[in-house]
Amino acid sequence: MAFVRAGADAGSSDNVKTVCEESRAFILGKFTDLAREAGASEPELLGKQLVLLYDGASIAAHLDHNRNAVSTARTLAAQMLSGGAPGAKTKRTARRSSTNMKRMRRLPG
């Protein structure tokens, strides 16, 4: 949330904006890598979808005080990584999804 707030500030310096853009690129890269490792047919698309899910869960947890936002997002992400989203293949192993979910837990947010 800190990067979102800092990036939204119209008076942010170029350095702040650069750091915010780097943070966003890092998160997108991580989700795209997870999608690629899960065997998604369109990892870039699935990575962008996972970023939207991550953003929504972060905002719901923070602004709405939704204590279930993260666990709900993880469940949806697991479904997406196992083939339940455009760009994802339809057959996944439980082991691979479990490994990807462990990696997602280490993401900032």
Side-chain angles (χ1 to χ4, degrees):
M1 288 300 297
F3 288 113
V4 172
R5 283 182 272 183
D9 184 3
S12 295
S13 70
D14 287 340
N15 288 340
V16 170
K17 289 178 183 177
T18 297
V19 170
C20 292
E21 289 169 4
E22 289 171 355
S23 171
R24 295 297 290 173
F26 173 81
I27 291 169
L28 176 59
K30 284 293 182 185
F31 282 126
T32 302
D33 289 346
L34 284 171
R36 190 172 289 112
E37 289 172 20
S41 61
E42 296 181 54
E44 292 79 15
L45 172 61
L46 186 54
K48 290 176 184 177
Q49 292 169 337
L50 290 168
V51 169
L52 287 172
L53 180 61
Y54 174 86
D55 289 344
S58 298
I59 290 170
H62 181 74
L63 296 179
D64 301 335
H65 307 286
N66 180 342
R67 294 181 182 189
N68 297 318
V70 173
S71 62
T72 300
R74 280 191 180 129
T75 299
L76 290 169
Q79 291 171 354
M80 294 168 76
L81 287 166
S82 66
K89 290 184 178 177
T90 56
K91 294 183 181 178
R92 292 287 144 257
T93 63
R95 191 177 88 206
R96 185 177 276 177
S97 290
S98 174
T99 300
N100 286 334
M101 292 308 297
K102 287 177 187 172
R103 289 182 182 151
M104 286 177 62
R105 288 187 187 107
R106 292 185 291 227
L107 290 171

